[in-house]
Amino acid sequence: MAREIVLDTETTGFDPKTGDRLIEVGCIEIQDLLPTGRTFHRFVNPERLIPPDAIRVHGITDEKVKDAPKFAEIADDLIEFIGDAQMIAHNAAFDRNFIDFEYARCGRPITGEARWIDTLKLAQTRFPGMPNSLDALCKRYKVSLVERTLHGALIDARLLAEVYLELRGGKERVLDLSSAPVGRGPGGVIETAAYGQRPRPLAPRSTPEEQAAHVAFLAKALKDRSLWEAYGLPAQEDAA
């Protein structure tokens, strides 16, 4: 797997082509389907008034963003944070349209559809005919909505990250009990990485005298039938 960015935006309306602008962007970084803890969050001055209907959705007022930077002032920071990662959004076309409009407006390259993963489409494939809004998916996956009273880019990105991990089976990967992580190397060859030594080795639970008595027992009772002997390991490791 690779680095991915879960992204959400808040805007003044529905369509940048009719004059609506982005007013908030929030991003959560995921690496190999696990959150890294890195985030990106900015409020943006939309250079226009925010309609009352939009304020009722996200609670962001003109007063709140009047001193915020314009998008052109945060564009490079956002581009740097996203890097070459794929972007994940719910109803991704909406967020992509605003991000690409703002990028183009300040002379930055647009992202393009191929770089986006739409969790709405993933959910519709998994749960056809069922409600698949972000709220509905949070309830279905028992993701708590207690902290959200209004929509917000960063909190919605956090909720979406949890939903995305559920959709992709990311949480189950934390419980993987296999002996070593598996990945694909050059040419698609599956490689298994061995775990390193324990950073803080456990102290022996037996005394030198007990270890010596155990070795003597193995030599007398089992001779060459010791399990450790079969694997070419020293008999002392039997007692470690």
Side-chain angles (χ1 to χ4, degrees):
M1 301 300 294
R3 180 175 177 268
E4 298 169 307
I5 299 297
V6 181
L7 180 147
D8 188 70
T9 62
E10 299 299 337
T11 66
T12 64
F14 297 103
D15 190 352
K17 294 179 182 178
T18 61
D20 286 316
R21 299 291 301 277
L22 184 146
I23 53 177
E24 185 186 16
V25 58
C27 301
I28 304 291
E29 182 185 62
I30 291 177
Q31 181 76 42
D32 297 335
L33 294 182
L34 293 172
T36 67
R38 293 188 66 220
T39 64
F40 179 95
H41 178 239
R42 297 287 191 280
F43 286 104
V44 177
N45 185 335
E47 303 176 79
R48 57 154 292 173
L49 296 177
I50 304 172
D53 286 346
I55 295 174
R56 279 192 285 273
V57 172
H58 47 58
I60 302 173
T61 63
D62 298 315
E63 182 69 21
K64 189 169 185 176
V65 295
K66 70 176 184 178
D67 296 322
K70 298 175 183 177
F71 187 86
E73 298 174 64
I74 71 154
D76 291 336
D77 290 340
L78 179 60
I79 290 170
E80 181 181 0
F81 183 85
I82 294 173
D84 59 359
Q86 279 202 295
M87 288 163 281
I88 298 145
H90 201 66
N91 190 19
F94 177 88
D95 299 280
R96 175 172 55 83
N97 285 342
F98 273 94
I99 292 292
D100 282 352
F101 176 85
E102 296 289 356
Y103 277 171
R105 195 171 185 274
C106 60
R108 305 303 195 276
I110 65 172
T111 60
E113 185 176 359
R115 288 190 59 189
W116 292 78
I117 295 173
D118 189 348
T119 51
L120 177 58
K121 292 181 179 179
L122 292 179
Q124 288 171 337
T125 299
R126 177 167 291 190
F127 307 110
M130 298 178 65
N132 286 305
S133 67
L134 180 56
D135 282 9
L137 290 169
C138 285
K139 292 174 183 176
R140 191 170 301 148
Y141 284 124
K142 295 181 173 55
V143 174
S144 175
L145 292 166
V146 68
E147 293 184 7
R148 188 183 65 167
T149 54
L150 294 170
H151 285 269
L154 189 59
I155 191 168
D156 281 3
R158 290 187 190 279
L159 295 172
L160 182 58
E162 292 195 54
V163 166
Y164 176 66
L165 295 182
E166 292 282 7
L167 287 169
R168 295 294 300 273
K171 286 189 176 180
E172 284 80 355
R173 295 178 75 253
V174 179
L175 302 177
D176 183 7
L177 301 180
S178 60
S179 60
V182 176
R184 290 193 177 272
V189 178
I190 294 179
E191 298 177 339
T192 301
Y195 288 120
Q197 293 183 345
R198 184 188 291 269
R200 295 181 180 178
L202 297 177
R205 299 292 298 272
S206 57
T207 66
E209 292 77 12
E210 290 172 331
Q211 293 176 23
H214 185 66
V215 172
F217 166 78
L218 292 177
K220 181 179 179 180
L222 300 180
K223 297 183 173 60
D224 61 353
R225 290 182 290 115
S226 168
L227 177 63
W228 300 112
E229 291 286 343
Y231 284 94
L233 298 171
Q236 287 88 337
E237 294 198 18
D238 244 329

